[in-house]
Every structure is written in C-alpha cells, then in structure tokens.
Amino acid sequence: MPCVCRMEASCLELALEGERLCKAGDFKGGTAFFEAAVQVGTEDLKTLSAIYSQLGNAYFYLKEYGKALEYHRHDLTLARTIGDRIGEGKASGNLGNTLKVLGRYDEAVVCCQRHLDISQEQGDKVGEARALYNMGNMFHAKGKQQLWGISQDPGELPPDVRDTLQRATAFYEMNLSLVKELGDRAAQGRAFGNLGNTHYLLGNFVETIKFHRERLSIAKEFGDKAAERRAYSNLGNALIFLGQFNAATEYYRNTLQLSRKLKDQVMEAQACYSLGNTYTLLQEYERAIDYHLKHLLIAQELNDRVGEGRACWSLGNAYVSLGNHRQALHYTRKHLDISREIGDRNGELTARMNVEELIEALGVKEADLSPSESEFEVFGHFPPLCCCDADVMLLRSRNQLSKSSRSKSYADSESSDERQWLDSPVDTDDITVDVTPPKLARDASDEDCFFDLLSKFQSSRMDDQRCQLDEPSNGENAGGADRNTLNDMIDASLLTSPQTEELFDLIASSQSRRLDDQRVSVSNLPGLRITHNNLGHLCGENDPQEPSDDFFNMLIKCQSSRIDDQRCSPPEGGPRAPTVPDEDFFSLIQRVQAKRMDEQRVQLPSDEQETDEDESRGSQTPEETRGQMTNNED
C-alpha cells in the first residue's frame, strides 16, 4: 500500500512539473514530464484526463499535430466514459482546434459545435464564449482556404466564400456580445481584431477600420505591443484600399517601430516592404527605394530568396520611375536570376520582358552586359554609384561584420493575444499553418477518360466477387429455367434447420467481434490503472450519455471530406517568402487592374528620346497601382 501511494504522488508530481514547464514556455521539457507521468500511471480519472489535455496542448504548440490529436481523443474518450460533460466539451473544442490547423474544417466544425452545445446545456458561459470564438475561427480559416487561387476583385467573392465568411462574422459577433456581458476586456480585443480581419476579406474596409481601431485601443490598454503592432499593420492595409495613402504610411511607420522594439525581423521586413510600395503609390520614389533596400537586406540575412526577388523587382520599378535605367536594369537582372533559381515562371517571364525593354531603352546589346551578379557593367565601365548604392554597400559591410553576433531570426511575438484567451493552449489561434491549396483544375475530357477507365476497372473487380451460375443449355428460356431451378433448390425448411441457425449464430458472433475490435476500450488508455476504486466509474455506474442523432448525422456528413486525405497533393506553390506578406501589392495589381495593365506601362525612351524622359516618367497614377497586403491574424 505505501508503494501505491508513492506511485500516485510520483505521477502527480511529474504532471505538476510538466505543467510548470509548459507555462514557462518549455513545451518540449513539459511533454517529457507528462509522458513520464503517463508511464507511471494513476487510478485518478480526473488527474489522467488533465494530463491528456495538457499533453495534447503541449504537442499542439510543438506542431506535432498527430500526437496532439491522439491525446485529445484519449481525453474525450475518458471524459465520456466517466460522464464528465464539461470535460467532454473541452476535449471536443481542443480536437476541433487541432483539426482546424490540419485543414480538416468540416470535422473541426462538428467538434466545436459539440463544445458549444455542451457549454450551453451546462450553463457554462465561459466555455460558450470560447466555443463561439473557435467556431468563428473555423469559418474564417475555411473562407481563407476557399480563396486560394480565386481571381476576384476585393469584396467580389463567390457566394460560397462570402457565406462562409459571413458565418464567421456572426459567430464573432455572438462571442463579442457574450464577453462584453462577462466583462472580459482582453477577449473583447480579440473579437474586435478578428471581426476586422473578416470584414477586410469581405471588402468592408470602413467596418474593418472601425473594428481595428477598437482593437488598437484595447491593446494599448493592456500594454500588448504585439497586438498593437498587428492593429497598426491591419489599419494601414485597409486605408490603402480607401485611397488614404498618407494615413497608411503613418500606421506602417508605427508597425515598423514596434517590430524593431519586439526584435521581430520578419515583421520589420514586411513593414519596410509595405512602406516602399505605399511611397511608390505616392510617387515618392526616393523614399520607396530606401525602404525597399532595407527590405532587401533583411531578406538576404534571413535567406529569403523570394523576398529578395520581390525587393529587386520593386527597386527596378522605382528606378525606372526615376529615369535611372542603368540601376533599373541591374536590379531587374537580379530579379530574373532569382526567379530562375526558385522556379518562379511568372516572375521569370515578367523580368525577362522588363530586361528586354530596358536594354532597348539603353541602346545596348545583352551580349555586352557583364554576367556578374554583384555589379552592373556595360562595355567594361561601371556606372556611378548613387547615394542609395553607397548606402547599400555600407549597410552590407556592417551586416557582414555583425552577422556572426546577430540572431538570424527572432521568436514570433504574435501569440500573446491568443495565449491569454483560453486556459488551454489549444484554444488559441496564434499559430500559422500553411494550408495546401485546392487541387488544380483538370480538363473535363481528361476527367471523363479517367472515370471511364476507373469504371471499367472496377466493374471487372465486382464481377470477380459475383457467384458464377452454371450456363443454361437452352437459349431463350434460360432465365426462366434458372429461376425455377433456384426456387426448387431453396426449401423453406432449410432456413429454419439447426445447421442454418448455427451458421447465422456464427456469422453474428464473428461480426460482433469485428465491431468490438473497432471500439475504444478504456483499458487501452495509457497511464490508466484500473482498481476497485474506479472500476465502478468505468463499468456502468455512470454510463456516458450517448450523442444525439443530429451529432452522428453531422459526423457522417463531414466524413466525406476525409477522402481528400487519400488524394495526392498538388505540387507545392513554391518556396515561402517570410519577409513578404502572403498577398502583396503585385498579386492584387494583377487581379484588380487586369483590364488596365496597358495604362500602367511606362513608355521607355530610346537614346534619341532622352529629352522626353520626364514626360514618360509620371505615367502611373496612385490609383492605378493600388495594392493589398495580408492582414495579420488576431
């Protein structure tokens, strides 16, 4: 008996140490202690449920989503076995959040709806608010995933995407109403931020600004610098679409300042990128070049080749606008080289076209250009360095001297909002997960050929499983003869014979064993030590309440989405660009201004037309180059 008490104390002590480490941010160390606690085991069902939940949360933060699902499922099984309705709701919510980051939105919605139903049934207002928030996150993430590859103007969304995002808005509004009732100011800030993000996707930019200003106010109230930085960035993005470029630069400068305070290089680079593009819209090209050079240096330090390519593209465009075609050619050639390296076919075609136009404008031949990537050279002569080039060389030398002592990247400081929102880490939305884009469209004729081939193949497999009846010797009366012979062979007495009953009993017992093999047994739960004290809880004294038929109907309906897990994923969309917003100016210029591309082209002068350079320089207006950046998640 003393040995059992010592084991029980040891399990609890290990679990408490794991919890302490997780709260301190050491999730790897925390999981080690929790796993050790499971190895020791316990007969306390509540303690074991808490360990499962914490292990699931810790693995979630470590992005080991398979293990997170495993332990949250254990938690759900145990909670339902002992009749713990509140625990069942929380486990369902945690499962939903984990499924969401895996892109399995239909299953995630079922789990979160279950959490919401149980919270409302139990009168748990805090749990209800969390469930509403998570439901909003599900539909917001699903709406963003549906937008992959869709070429639509801002706000002009397909009906299914609009419906999904409007459902997200409805859940966020219900969450906001409830947390106001509970007096939870921090939760109100998160609701305002997510409402702003959803209205941004819907194209409601005035509403977006209203909600993000509320979010900014609450972030300042709590001294949450990361949330304040996100609000500034999101406000700048919305103002771009309203044509208020000067106001947008103020918010972007605040974003840059806070990113440097937080030592977040990725966000610092994105702020420089946004400022560079906004100053281009304002036709302040010297200032645009300054920020694009800063973005370029950070992208090089972080080894973000896609970001480097975008920076060189932007610098080439800015130098063209200033009439400095030699420097424009230098950066455009760099953009071309990087596009080839990373396999960006569209970027390569654009850069090739720009290089050809610049070579024609300069009156040189491509064969005369130096292949050197570090400097631009024509006929063996180097062009004079402008002030911006000197700045780059100085910054690069400083960068090389300090690179060994500077960190390559900084910890993501986006998570403070989310980690304060719920007791468990999994109820948060502060982890960015790359979602595989939807499957690429195929030609209809290809699909028809594929399905014809599949049906022929499957039909032969079905024939293999059919019973082969003897071929009749007669021709036209064969069918009738078969039926009569079969009817004669099947005697009613055979169906009630002892041998037949034994056969049916054997089949029934065999099938029941197969069903039992698929059921989850509490005896298989890791860390559970079954004793006389908890046997009653596990064996019928507290039979878990069965889910309603509606729950199973929803579950069956959403299982259809799991077939996608068995399909081959399309090729990846290319390397990520952490220093560039996911949806930047360039993509939106192509989408919004697709019909006006000819109006945006700058007519490059030839050597004989140098005097007309000033006239061709200002052919782009701010309205014609309006762009979009991705909103930061709250």
Side-chain angles (χ1 to χ4, degrees):
M1 191 66 176
C3 180
V4 172
C5 293
R6 183 61 228 168
M7 285 180 68
E8 196 67 39
S10 178
C11 175
L12 185 59
E13 289 169 359
L14 290 168
L16 290 173
E17 179 62 17
E19 183 180 36
R20 185 190 68 79
L21 289 172
C22 286
K23 286 182 177 179
D26 183 6
F27 297 106
K28 202 167 188 65
T31 55
F33 275 93
F34 280 129
E35 292 282 10
V38 170
Q39 289 294 322
V40 171
T42 179
E43 65 182 53
D44 188 332
L45 303 180
K46 290 283 188 181
T47 299
L48 187 59
S49 177
I51 291 173
Y52 287 157
S53 180
Q54 293 278 20
L55 257 175
N57 295 338
Y59 278 124
F60 181 92
Y61 275 116
L62 292 172
K63 299 185 179 181
E64 297 184 34
Y65 301 116
K67 287 191 174 182
L69 280 177
E70 176 188 349
Y71 280 104
H72 285 314
R73 281 175 177 146
H74 287 330
D75 188 24
L76 178 61
T77 299
L78 189 56
R80 293 188 59 196
T81 300
I82 64 179
D84 179 6
R85 294 288 284 165
I86 296 292
E88 181 183 348
K90 289 180 178 179
S92 297
N94 288 337
L95 270 173
N97 279 296
T98 309
L99 289 165
K100 185 203 75 171
V101 300
L102 292 172
R104 294 159 62 175
Y105 300 113
D106 292 334
E107 295 171 83
V109 167
V110 171
C111 292
C112 289
Q113 183 66 52
R114 186 74 175 160
H115 183 202
L116 178 60
D117 292 342
I118 292 174
S119 297
Q120 291 173 338
E121 167 199 306
Q122 299 293 315
D124 180 7
K125 293 292 185 182
V126 174
E128 182 181 353
R130 293 174 181 175
L132 289 168
Y133 181 80
N134 289 335
M135 287 290 285
N137 289 341
M138 300 303 155
F139 286 108
H140 182 262
K142 184 177 180 180
K144 289 181 68 176
Q145 193 261 357
Q146 289 173 329
L147 284 171
W148 270 91
I150 295 179
S151 298
Q152 296 284 338
D153 291 354
E156 296 182 9
L157 304 172
D160 59 331
V161 179
R162 179 170 292 277
D163 177 67
T164 300
L165 293 173
Q166 286 175 341
R167 293 180 73 180
T169 301
F171 280 110
Y172 284 138
E173 287 173 347
M174 287 188 284
N175 167 258
L176 179 60
S177 176
L178 187 53
V179 294
K180 282 182 176 179
E181 179 185 328
L182 295 172
D184 189 341
R185 287 286 288 165
Q188 291 174 43
R190 285 181 291 274
F192 281 128
N194 283 300
L195 277 167
N197 290 339
T198 311
H199 279 288
Y200 177 87
L201 294 176
L202 288 166
N204 304 329
F205 301 115
V206 174
E207 289 292 303
T208 298
I209 290 172
K210 180 184 76 172
F211 286 120
H212 281 308
R213 280 177 176 161
E214 291 283 355
R215 206 287 164 265
L216 177 61
S217 175
I218 295 176
K220 288 180 176 179
E221 178 183 327
F222 281 88
D224 188 343
K225 296 299 182 183
E228 189 178 340
R229 196 270 310 156
R230 290 195 299 274
Y232 280 131
S233 180
N234 292 336
L235 282 165
N237 295 345
L239 287 167
I240 287 290
F241 278 98
L242 295 178
Q244 301 179 28
F245 304 131
N246 284 310
T249 59
E250 293 298 321
Y251 285 115
Y252 287 142
R253 277 200 288 266
N254 287 329
T255 302
L256 179 59
Q257 182 181 9
L258 283 173
S259 297
R260 287 170 174 167
K261 281 185 178 180
L262 294 168
K263 297 183 178 179
D264 189 338
Q265 273 191 305
V266 169
M267 292 299 110
E268 179 183 348
Q270 289 195 19
C272 290
Y273 183 84
S274 298
L275 279 165
N277 282 294
T278 307
Y279 279 118
T280 298
L281 294 172
L282 291 168
Q283 297 184 353
E284 298 184 29
Y285 301 114
E286 293 284 358
R287 301 182 77 175
I289 288 171
D290 180 48
Y291 283 108
H292 283 309
L293 287 171
K294 291 173 181 176
H295 170 220
L296 177 61
L297 288 176
I298 298 176
Q300 289 172 340
E301 184 173 346
L302 297 179
N303 197 29
D304 176 14
R305 295 295 282 166
V306 178
E308 286 184 58
R310 290 299 176 89
C312 291
W313 188 2
S314 300
L315 285 163
N317 292 336
Y319 278 117
V320 165
S321 299
L322 288 175
N324 189 339
H325 301 130
R326 289 176 177 252
Q327 286 296 327
L329 181 58
H330 169 64
Y331 285 108
T332 303
R333 292 181 69 205
K334 282 183 173 291
H335 176 218
L336 177 60
D337 293 339
I338 293 172
S339 297
R340 286 171 175 166
E341 176 189 329
I342 64 177
D344 181 3
R345 181 61 177 164
N346 291 332
E348 182 180 348
L349 291 173
T350 302
R352 167 54 59 188
M353 181 183 67
N354 291 338
V355 166
E356 290 173 355
E357 291 180 353
L358 286 165
I359 287 175
E360 182 180 354
L362 288 168
V364 298
K365 296 180 180 180
E366 189 169 4
D368 297 326
L369 301 177
S370 167
S372 171
E373 293 186 0
S374 59
E375 295 293 342
F376 169 78
E377 181 180 1
V378 179
F379 305 113
H381 297 287
F382 292 97
L385 287 174
C386 71
C387 60
C388 298
D389 295 315
D391 290 341
V392 173
M393 294 180 66
L394 179 60
L395 285 169
R396 277 182 179 164
S397 62
R398 292 176 180 173
N399 182 53
Q400 293 298 326
L401 289 172
S402 61
K403 187 173 287 188
S404 60
S405 60
R406 289 185 64 181
S407 169
K408 286 288 181 185
S409 61
Y410 297 95
D412 189 346
S413 53
E414 296 261 350
S415 62
S416 59
D417 266 352
E418 306 302 334
R419 294 180 183 172
Q420 295 171 5
W421 167 221
L422 302 178
D423 295 336
S424 64
V426 157
D427 286 330
T428 69
D429 192 35
D430 60 340
I431 292 184
T432 301
V433 175
D434 293 326
V435 180
T436 302
K439 308 298 179 291
L440 299 175
R442 296 185 179 90
D443 190 357
S445 61
D446 295 339
E447 293 186 0
D448 291 341
C449 294
F450 171 74
F451 284 117
D452 287 342
L453 180 63
L454 184 63
S455 61
K456 290 177 182 177
F457 175 71
Q458 291 294 345
S459 63
S460 63
R461 294 187 63 191
M462 293 181 69
D463 289 338
D464 295 340
Q465 301 174 48
R466 292 192 176 100
C467 294
Q468 297 295 329
L469 300 178
D470 293 336
E471 292 290 336
S473 57
N474 299 332
E476 295 181 359
N477 297 326
D482 274 352
R483 285 192 293 270
N484 293 335
T485 305
L486 241 74
N487 290 333
D488 292 340
M489 291 171 62
I490 301 175
D491 189 347
S493 63
L494 293 176
L495 299 175
T496 58
S497 67
Q499 291 84 356
T500 306
E501 293 295 331
E502 291 176 5
L503 174 63
F504 286 138
D505 289 341
L506 180 62
I507 292 173
S509 62
S510 175
Q511 291 295 332
S512 65
R513 286 196 299 271
R514 291 185 66 189
L515 286 169
D516 288 337
D517 292 340
Q518 301 175 47
R519 293 191 176 100
V520 177
S521 173
V522 292
S523 62
N524 294 330
L525 292 176
L528 175 61
R529 288 193 279 112
I530 299 176
T531 65
H532 291 293
N533 295 332
N534 58 26
L535 189 61
H537 294 284
L538 299 173
C539 297
E541 287 186 11
N542 290 319
D543 290 336
Q545 180 179 344
E546 290 296 323
S548 65
D549 291 338
D550 291 338
F551 174 73
F552 285 114
N553 289 336
M554 292 172 65
L555 191 60
I556 291 169
K557 183 178 180 181
C558 84
Q559 289 297 326
S560 60
S561 67
R562 297 188 63 187
I563 196 169
D564 289 334
D565 298 339
Q566 303 173 42
R567 293 194 175 107
C568 294
S569 299
E572 293 293 332
R576 293 184 63 243
T579 65
V580 179
D582 293 337
E583 190 172 7
D584 56 47
F585 278 111
F586 297 99
S587 62
L588 201 72
I589 286 173
Q590 293 172 354
R591 284 165 51 186
V592 180
Q593 302 290 343
K595 298 178 182 179
R596 303 174 64 190
M597 290 297 288
D598 290 337
E599 299 174 12
Q600 299 179 44
R601 291 199 174 97
V602 176
Q603 299 299 323
L604 296 175
S606 63
D607 286 342
E608 293 80 12
Q609 296 173 325
E610 291 292 337
T611 56
D612 297 333
E613 191 172 293
D614 291 336
E615 295 179 8
S616 64
R617 189 178 304 164
S619 62
Q620 288 180 302
T621 64
E623 192 64 29
E624 290 172 340
T625 55
R626 183 180 299 178
Q628 175 186 17
M629 282 76 52
T630 298
N631 268 24
N632 292 274
E633 296 298 330
D634 219 282

